[in-house]
Amino acid sequence: MVTLLHIDSSVFPDAASSSRSVADAFRRTWEEQHPSGRVIYRDLAADPVPHITADAHTAGFAAPTEHTPEQSAAFTARVQLIEELEQADAVLIGAPMYNYSIPSTLKAWLDNVIMLGRTTGEAPSAQGTPVTVIASRGGAYGPGTPREGYDFVQNYLEAVLKGSLGLDVDFIVPELTMAPRNPVMSGLIPLYEASRERAIRDATTKAKELAERLAA
């Protein structure tokens, strides 16, 4: 059974969120290709995971038999998140830009699943798993734009997902998502709509490509 791990982190629901809308296009296509597959879904805005604690962190460096009751409880919750990542054949992450970086809820999930000697280190346990990140952003941050260099979403996630966890990362970037909400950006709405449509097409294509790769 093919398994997709789908992580959403936008505070906006459904169609109000570009990252959710594009991720939904990916997931619908994925499920069409894998009607009997499994989807593990986590909505980090609706049901946030605990931020990493001293007990959860230190438990990763101690034998289970040496855990305090507090470490044991925290570690059990952390291991569940890690196992969901390890069981996935592919991962889909909605990562909108908030104040130039990722939502704190997504950072909390990453802090929990990064464990030296298991998911990171010499032989990361989920190494090579394909990850598609929907990195939506309210403005434009590409080369030549006024805010070039202010995007701390893609470079951070590239370092963590690829550099630390050893995952195979691909980004889809719908941008100018604030245009319909910010009157100052109203003239950019056509560019926003084009970016959104392109992102949805790319998500659909990517889902089909991954389905074919995993079926081969």
Side-chain angles (χ1 to χ4, degrees), residues 5-167:
L5 173 60
H6 179 185
I7 305 290
D8 268 330
S9 62
S10 172
V11 298
F12 296 104
D14 306 325
S17 165
S18 290
S19 64
R20 288 181 186 270
S21 296
V22 176
D24 284 345
F26 181 105
R27 179 169 168 174
R28 284 195 303 270
T29 303
W30 174 274
E31 290 178 325
E32 289 170 0
Q33 302 296 315
H34 299 287
S36 60
R38 176 189 180 205
V39 176
I40 302 171
Y41 180 61
R42 284 194 174 271
D43 185 338
L44 300 179
D47 187 18
V49 302
H51 282 85
I52 197 76
T53 63
D55 287 326
H57 178 73
T58 56
F61 296 92
T65 55
E66 299 174 356
H67 287 175
T68 66
E70 293 78 14
Q71 284 178 316
S72 181
F75 192 67
T76 297
R78 192 176 174 193
V79 166
Q80 180 182 354
L81 299 174
I82 290 172
E83 289 179 342
E84 289 175 356
L85 174 62
E86 292 172 338
Q87 293 165 9
D89 296 288
V91 181
L92 172 64
I93 299 176
M97 177 190 287
Y98 291 160
N99 300 313
Y100 308 122
S101 188
I102 63 174
S104 63
T105 51
L106 181 55
K107 178 63 162 60
W109 179 80
L110 288 166
D111 287 341
N112 275 278
V113 300
I114 295 172
M115 183 181 294
L116 185 63
R118 181 163 178 174
T119 60
T120 186
E122 293 185 3
S125 56
Q127 186 169 12
T129 302
V131 180
T132 303
V133 179
I134 312 301
S136 61
R137 51 202 193 187
Y141 294 80
T145 62
R147 293 190 175 181
E148 179 183 358
Y150 280 74
D151 175 8
F152 302 105
V153 173
Q154 284 188 251
N155 58 357
Y156 171 73
L157 290 178
E158 180 85 15
V160 173
L161 297 174
K162 182 178 180 179
S164 293
L165 296 175
L167 307 177

